[in-house]
Amino acid sequence: MKYGHFDDKEYEYVITNYNTPLPWINYYGQDGFFSLMSNTCGGYMFYKDAKLRRITRFRYNNVPRDYGGRYYYINDNGTIWNPGFLPMKTKLDSYKCRHGLGYSIFESEKNNLKAELLCFVPLKDLCEINQLTLTNNSKETKKVTLHGVIEFCLWNAVDDQTNFQRNWNIGEVEIDDTTIYHKTEYRERRNHYAFYHTNIKHDGYDSDLDTFIGLYNSWCDPSAVLNKTSYNTKASGWAPIASHMFNLEIKPGESKTVIFQTGYVENDEDKKFEKLHVINKEKAYELQNKYATKEQVLKAFNELKTKWVDLLSTLNVKSDNEKFDRMVNIWNQYQCMVTFNMSRSASYYESGTGRGMGFRDSCQDLLGFLHLIPEKSRERIKDIASIQFEDGSTYHQYQPLTKRGNADIGGGFNDDPLWLIAAVSQYIKETGDYTILNDPTPFNNKEGSEKPLIDHLRASLNYIITHKGPHGLPLIGRADWNDCLNLNCFSKTPGESFQTASNFESGKAESVFIAGMFVLYGKEFATILKNIGNTDEAANILKEVKSVEDATVKYGWDGEWFVRAYDAFEHKVGSHECEDGQIFVEPQGFCTMARIGEDLGYGKKALDSVEKILTNDYGVEILHPCYKEYHIELGEVSSYPMGYKENGSVFCHNNPWIVIANTVIGNNERAFDVYRRNCPAYLEEVSEIHKTEPYIYSQTIAGRDAKNYGEAKNSWLTGTASWTMYAASQAILGIKPDYDGLMIDPHLPKEIKHAKVTRVFRGVKYNITITNNASGKYLMTIDNKAIDGKVIPYNKDLTEVDVNIAL
Ligand code: BGC
Ligand code: NOJ
């Protein structure tokens, strides 16, 4: 069942049934002011950091799930409704929520009154615009009361939900006839405030939640709205909100528009106040004046749209598969940009109060958006590398506001360091710019500890080289990519974090997955070293790579697939010798990509096993059979009920590894088959089963052993986005940035016979026409001249190149 449809021309998903199986959301913002917006107008806003600088509140664990938002109440002769259906839940005569790139438009109608609500964060400014137009489509004049309302968060989202004894005393606002300013804690150590403003004067306001709603009422029956009034309250402590009320008379055929703006302002220490207790509003006025008219809003909206169209023109495909094109051209790239902004911090599944930017997560995310924003990527790489320690190990996460490593989680995830090589090598391939290797980058953010970035890469590899176990394979530490494979944790204490506890540091548990990574990224680093003339160093690295490769061939092969790990007692994990968890997906993907045991046919065998044992209707499950019992020596992986999360769901993140690996062994049909199984556009038709947004990848889809087989969870903030982008563009389409130029090495399935791709690469536009006769041959021609090899050497003097590929 579908709840809407794609509108590819507008780059939108149009939700037409507000009863979606879960909130279907969107994100706004690019330079600091960010918002989440659901199809019922739920969600929240923050500045840079969802934990430390939350602007509006969200009610977690609420029933219904999606509460807290920006709500517009329309009271039309006693019928009260909202353009986004919630909170009133009044049945609407028509409803559309058009989620586009960085904006949403709600179009709803009730009793011949039409509401059009346009919401977005303008390109450069720290504010969210909500422009609401009401049109009277009836034959009589309507007298409508409109209330707009948001609820402020007292900045630190964790403290806001816990420290009531203080927080219920500190709320402060300032009010004038168009704006409510939220200035809690501004009198003392904060230099920032927020405001909720309208472009026309209101007919009443409220800033005290309990009065606006009525202590025993709720968002579904706020007292002010029911009574078509405002109480003109000035919040003092408790819960500050901002509500503006308008009494609108709308004639038949007439439209009335109000522009609501939620803004965020920071002031210099010496410019905080206008006079005692009165905040300096200069910057707020500037923002307000910038969006005071419909024309100004339209201009900013068009700029945003144009920006996205330009950005996405970097890579565009037109093939004979509409769903593939729509994902590659629009939604997959868009999701990658959202992971750039959010990492794993703020979604409807990531509370925005826990995880910040992950070292491994953000490094992998880079693979998906580097082609779109190379400069910002370079900055991001530096931020990430700055939380690394001199020995090559790293903090696991950092807070986006402070950019400091998160000490609560610490480090010890032994795959982390290698992801930095993945990110930096991809940066060089995309940009051709090796100078990034010289960027002075501190260790653990310590001033004076800066070393060229290349030393960080050396440290990364060295960490693995110096941390090996009894079989010569890399030690796993607290966990590797699979956060739940906690082989040194041995936790008996309820609630203890599997990721941070280590009750038995064996110094022995090893990861075959990290071995695969080491071989793949070790070779990559050696290539970089050769390219910059460090041939001796490259040769040394390749020796180290060889030794891990040999160890993997010897101890990491189970007969039909790669072993996953060795536990603290040197027992195999992910082997036919095990009762449960006999095969794990991760090493099958990575060791095949790294071509370990290629001459022995390992990759091919491993991927056959993946198809035979792990593949279900929605993709490839992470392991099989699921663990039936808790295994203290394995950790969190065995804590999940069967078929969920790391215990046997389709963990979508590693499915693209299988896609890529299949292209490595030349099995194009199977590569595309795996791609298709969990591609959201293909799952749109079964949205009632899949449940999450049909335009966005989710982290997991419950596996065959789960009660809710096929149900997805944790949409948006997942490495699935970047790896799938990588798989679709670099493996299936085969458009691969390489050190010396653009490689074109398509692995299209037979069903895609034609594809026209435009790719802007280092400023040159490549128009690539691929004809797929599935002949097993490869011919590249430029201007009818056959070209040797698969790489088009980069030539900075060209602006446009037309290439033909016949397969
Ligand atoms: C989840 C993992 C996640 C980890 C992060 C675990 O509970 O299953 O997917 O990466 O928490 O803290
Ligand atoms: C989610 C985490 O963000 C990611 O880093 C990890 O690799 C996966 N879970 C698998 O456990």
Coordinates of all heavy atoms in Angstrom, one line a residue, residues 344 355 360-361 481-484 646 651 653 699, ligand 2:
R344 N 24.9 10.9 13.2 CA 23.9 10.0 13.8 C 23.2 10.7 15.0 O 22.7 10.1 15.9 CB 24.5 8.7 14.4 CG 25.3 7.9 13.4 CD 24.4 7.4 12.2 NE 25.3 6.8 11.2 CZ 25.7 7.5 10.1 NH1 25.4 8.8 9.9 NH2 26.5 6.9 9.2
R355 N 24.1 10.4 20.7 CA 25.3 10.3 19.9 C 25.5 11.6 19.1 O 24.6 12.2 18.6 CB 25.1 9.1 18.9 CG 24.6 7.9 19.7 CD 25.0 6.6 19.0 NE 24.1 6.3 17.9 CZ 24.5 5.5 16.9 NH1 25.8 5.1 16.9 NH2 23.7 5.1 16.0
R360 N 33.8 6.8 12.9 CA 33.6 5.9 11.7 C 32.4 6.3 10.8 O 32.5 6.2 9.6 CB 33.5 4.4 12.2 CG 32.2 3.9 12.6 CD 32.0 2.4 12.4 NE 32.6 1.7 13.5 CZ 32.0 1.3 14.6 NH1 30.8 1.7 14.9 NH2 32.6 0.6 15.6
D361 N 31.4 6.7 11.5 CA 30.2 7.1 10.8 C 30.5 8.2 9.8 O 30.2 8.2 8.6 CB 29.0 7.5 11.7 CG 28.6 6.3 12.6 OD1 28.6 5.2 12.1 OD2 28.2 6.5 13.7
W481 N 33.2 -2.5 13.2 CA 32.0 -1.9 12.6 C 30.8 -2.3 13.3 O 29.8 -1.5 13.5 CB 32.0 -2.2 11.1 CG 30.7 -1.7 10.6 CD1 30.4 -0.5 10.0 CD2 29.4 -2.4 10.5 NE1 29.1 -0.4 9.7 CE2 28.5 -1.5 10.0 CE3 29.0 -3.7 10.9 CZ2 27.1 -1.9 9.8 CZ3 27.7 -4.1 10.7 CH2 26.8 -3.2 10.1
N482 N 30.7 -3.6 13.7 CA 29.5 -4.1 14.4 C 29.7 -3.8 15.8 O 30.3 -4.5 16.6 CB 29.5 -5.6 14.2 CG 28.1 -6.2 14.7 OD1 27.6 -5.6 15.6 ND2 27.7 -7.3 14.1
D483 N 29.0 -2.7 16.2 CA 29.1 -2.2 17.6 C 28.7 -3.2 18.6 O 28.9 -3.0 19.8 CB 28.2 -1.0 17.7 CG 28.9 0.3 17.4 OD1 30.1 0.5 17.7 OD2 28.2 1.2 16.8
C484 N 28.0 -4.2 18.2 CA 27.4 -5.2 19.1 C 28.2 -6.5 19.2 O 27.8 -7.4 19.9 CB 26.0 -5.5 18.7 SG 25.0 -4.0 18.7
E646 N 21.4 -6.0 15.2 CA 22.6 -6.7 14.8 C 22.3 -8.3 14.9 O 23.2 -9.0 14.5 CB 23.7 -6.3 15.7 CG 24.5 -5.0 15.2 CD 23.8 -3.7 15.7 OE1 22.7 -3.8 16.2 OE2 24.5 -2.7 15.6
F651 N 20.7 -5.5 8.0 CA 21.3 -4.2 8.5 C 21.8 -3.5 7.2 O 22.8 -3.9 6.6 CB 22.5 -4.6 9.4 CG 22.7 -3.6 10.5 CD1 22.2 -3.7 11.8 CD2 23.4 -2.4 10.2 CE1 22.4 -2.8 12.7 CE2 23.5 -1.4 11.2 CZ 23.0 -1.6 12.4
H653 N 23.2 -1.0 6.0 CA 24.5 -0.5 5.8 C 25.5 -1.4 5.1 O 26.2 -1.0 4.3 CB 25.1 -0.2 7.2 CG 26.4 0.6 7.3 ND1 26.6 1.5 8.2 CD2 27.5 0.5 6.5 CE1 27.9 2.0 8.1 NE2 28.4 1.4 7.0
Q699 N 18.1 2.0 8.7 CA 19.2 1.3 9.2 C 18.9 -0.2 9.2 O 19.8 -1.0 8.7 CB 19.6 1.7 10.7 CG 20.8 0.9 11.2 CD 20.9 1.0 12.7 OE1 20.0 0.8 13.4 NE2 22.0 1.5 13.2
Ligands
NOJ2 C1 25.2 2.0 14.0 C2 26.5 2.8 14.2 O1 26.2 4.2 14.0 C3 27.5 2.4 13.3 O2 28.7 3.0 13.5 C4 27.7 0.9 13.4 O3 28.7 0.5 12.5 C5 26.4 0.1 13.2 N1 25.5 0.6 14.1 C6 26.6 -1.4 13.4 O4 26.7 -1.7 14.7

